[in-house]
Amino acid sequence: MRVYLYDGINTQGNGGLNPAATFTSDPYELYDVLECVVTEERNGQFTLALKYPVGSAYWDKIQPDAIIMASPRPKAGEEPFRIFEVQHTVEGVITAKANHLVYDLDGIIIGSPASAFSGVTGINNVLSTLTTQGNLSSTCFEIKNGGVASLIGIDITDKFVSVWKALGLIADRYKAELKYTWASNRCTITFCKPRGKTSSAVISYGVNIVNLDHKIDNTQMYSRVVMAWFDEPSASPPYVQSGVNTGYTGRNRTLWIDVTSDYQTKPTTSTLGARAAVYVASHDWNPVPQLTATYVPLPDTTDYGVTNLAYIGTAVVGLNVVGDEESVIGAGSLDLCDTATVDASLIGVSVTAKCVKVVFNVLSGRYDLVTIGAIPENIVDIIIRGS
């Protein structure tokens, strides 16, 4: 697959309504790329890493804020990544790190989001408010609802918040999966539920699994969540609390969350109760299996007694998956947010897990790494600036 470079990009377009982005130069095709990989996580990291030899064509054009156009997945078109870091080594190699263009939304700040979103209910109205508050209609960014139920609102207590962080808060609230699409020089952010498909891919013990480790840990399981606000001892009462049951019945265990710093005045019990309900709804209260499995790549065939084998490379499910074989085309292949079955029932393990991270080798056109396992619970904690 090809890799292109541009001097920069203007996401404001020509200033019209929903404009297309404009590049500030003609494309430079990078012929001598040593390495180019794209890493994408479910509702998280979406970055590119490039290595290029000094002295090759256009090597001096690789600068911060330049745009690298590269495909992030098999059979996909190129998408824009903005360079944020460039390093030169004594070996004569340039290393560039870049974030997907959607990270530009981290620089658009919403003032007074608490009042902006107060009383706004339903996912479509919430997304419309975000578009208005971020003035996104005058940029190349567009936000869409891709099937998320329109039932609830969102409470943002921050005094200031970026559009990027707001996307994460809303996705957490609705348990949505974000998908970024680049077409006609426009970037569409879609809230999906779900984003991926249920794959018929099977990673099987006795067929292509060569190593497996399975663990179930309930140390983070709670039967009840309580939001609490505390004040000086002179207050009457000195604290307000409200809790919601999680549905976990393994044992009685309460999670206390101090939200005093989030409120300048004493909140009502109903306010804290509603916030506790949001927290409970946004988390999984069942013990999450942690699975590590290494498998060898086998073709999509019935020769081994199993059809539609997952064929990506040597895999680590729940941690990392490293491989050097091409992905199967068809039902046996996996993509980000797809679910697959790890079948090791002979040793008491049979788990359906979601693909939560992929590392795509742009030059070879296949995945180098795939992670299948537990879903991150709070994507706000994954909001990063080039790390």
Side-chain angles (χ1 to χ4, degrees):
M1 291 185 171
R2 296 181 177 180
V3 179
Y4 298 92
L5 181 74
Y6 292 84
D7 289 338
I9 193 171
N10 178 13
T11 59
Q12 298 292 324
N14 57 14
L17 186 65
N18 296 324
T22 54
F23 292 96
T24 59
S25 72
D26 292 329
Y28 313 112
E29 184 170 356
L30 303 180
Y31 294 100
D32 301 323
V33 176
L34 301 175
E35 179 180 307
C36 185
V37 294
V38 175
T39 301
E40 184 178 8
E41 295 179 340
R42 175 194 178 274
N43 289 3
Q45 178 184 3
F46 198 4
T47 59
L48 177 145
L50 174 86
K51 290 185 177 180
Y52 198 72
V54 171
S56 293
Y58 311 119
W59 70 273
D60 55 334
K61 299 287 186 180
I62 301 176
Q63 300 290 339
D65 283 330
I67 300 296
I68 297 174
M69 294 291 293
S71 176
R73 62 189 67 90
K75 293 189 172 182
E78 292 87 11
E79 299 198 16
F81 294 82
R82 186 186 294 277
I83 296 176
F84 66 86
E85 179 181 297
V86 177
Q87 293 181 334
H88 295 249
T89 67
V90 70
E91 291 84 5
V93 175
I94 298 174
T95 299
K97 296 180 181 180
N99 291 325
H100 191 275
L101 191 66
V102 73
Y103 276 55
D104 279 16
L105 296 178
D106 197 31
I108 301 177
I109 304 300
I110 299 174
S112 303
S115 58
F117 288 91
S118 178
V120 179
T121 59
I123 181 66
N124 294 326
N125 292 330
V126 168
L127 297 183
S128 177
T129 299
L130 181 58
T131 297
T132 301
Q133 293 296 316
N135 196 26
L136 298 185
S137 60
S138 64
T139 72
C140 69
F141 299 103
E142 182 180 10
I143 302 175
K144 290 185 176 181
N145 178 15
V148 178
S150 187
L151 299 176
I152 49 181
I154 184 170
D155 178 25
I156 301 179
T157 60
D158 307 59
K159 293 182 179 179
F160 300 95
V161 67
S162 70
V163 172
W164 178 248
K165 182 176 181 181
L167 286 172
L169 292 168
I170 297 169
D172 280 342
R173 178 71 169 97
Y174 286 90
K175 293 185 176 180
E177 294 177 337
L178 297 174
K179 183 178 182 179
Y180 312 115
T181 306
W182 178 260
S184 301
N185 285 8
R186 302 200 72 249
C187 184
T188 301
I189 303 102
T190 304
F191 281 71
C192 305
K193 197 171 184 179
R195 167 179 169 171
K197 65 181 182 296
T198 300
S199 173
S200 58
V202 177
I203 305 168
S204 299
Y205 177 75
V207 178
N208 56 343
I209 289 181
V210 296
N211 183 41
L212 183 145
D213 180 36
H214 179 257
K215 177 177 69 173
I216 299 178
D217 186 352
N218 73 342
T219 57
Q220 299 301 314
M221 295 297 102
Y222 296 90
S223 59
R224 186 172 178 80
V225 173
V226 174
M227 296 286 175
W229 177 90
F230 299 86
D231 202 350
E232 297 296 330
S234 59
S236 180
Y239 69 89
V240 179
Q241 66 167 356
S242 184
V244 176
N245 293 332
T246 66
Y248 174 65
T249 58
R251 55 176 167 165
N252 292 325
R253 190 180 182 206
T254 300
L255 172 63
W256 283 79
I257 301 177
D258 185 353
V259 296
T260 304
S261 61
D262 293 342
Y263 299 92
Q264 294 181 353
T265 60
K266 183 170 66 176
T268 64
T269 301
S270 58
T271 296
L272 295 183
R275 186 165 178 178
V278 169
Y279 189 92
V280 169
S282 301
H283 292 73
D284 188 356
W285 300 103
N286 293 306
V288 178
Q290 298 177 10
L291 180 68
T292 302
T294 304
Y295 70 89
V296 296
L298 295 174
D300 187 9
T301 178
T302 58
D303 293 346
Y304 298 91
V306 179
T307 59
N308 294 328
L309 294 174
Y311 188 169
I312 302 175
T314 304
V316 180
V317 180
L319 294 179
N320 296 314
V321 181
V322 180
D324 56 3
E325 298 293 338
E326 293 186 4
S327 301
V328 164
I329 305 301
S333 61
L334 292 177
D335 205 347
L336 190 67
C337 295
D338 289 350
T339 57
T341 299
V342 179
D343 182 14
S345 54
L346 291 177
I347 57 174
V349 177
S350 183
V351 177
T352 298
K354 184 179 287 284
C355 176
V356 295
K357 178 180 179 180
V358 291
V359 175
F360 181 65
N361 188 318
V362 178
L363 302 184
S364 65
R366 61 179 182 241
Y367 288 122
D368 280 347
L369 180 150
V370 174
T371 300
I372 304 174
I375 297 173
E377 291 191 350
N378 189 350
I379 75 171
V380 176
D381 294 335
I382 309 175
I383 295 173
I384 54 178
R385 293 180 177 87
S387 60

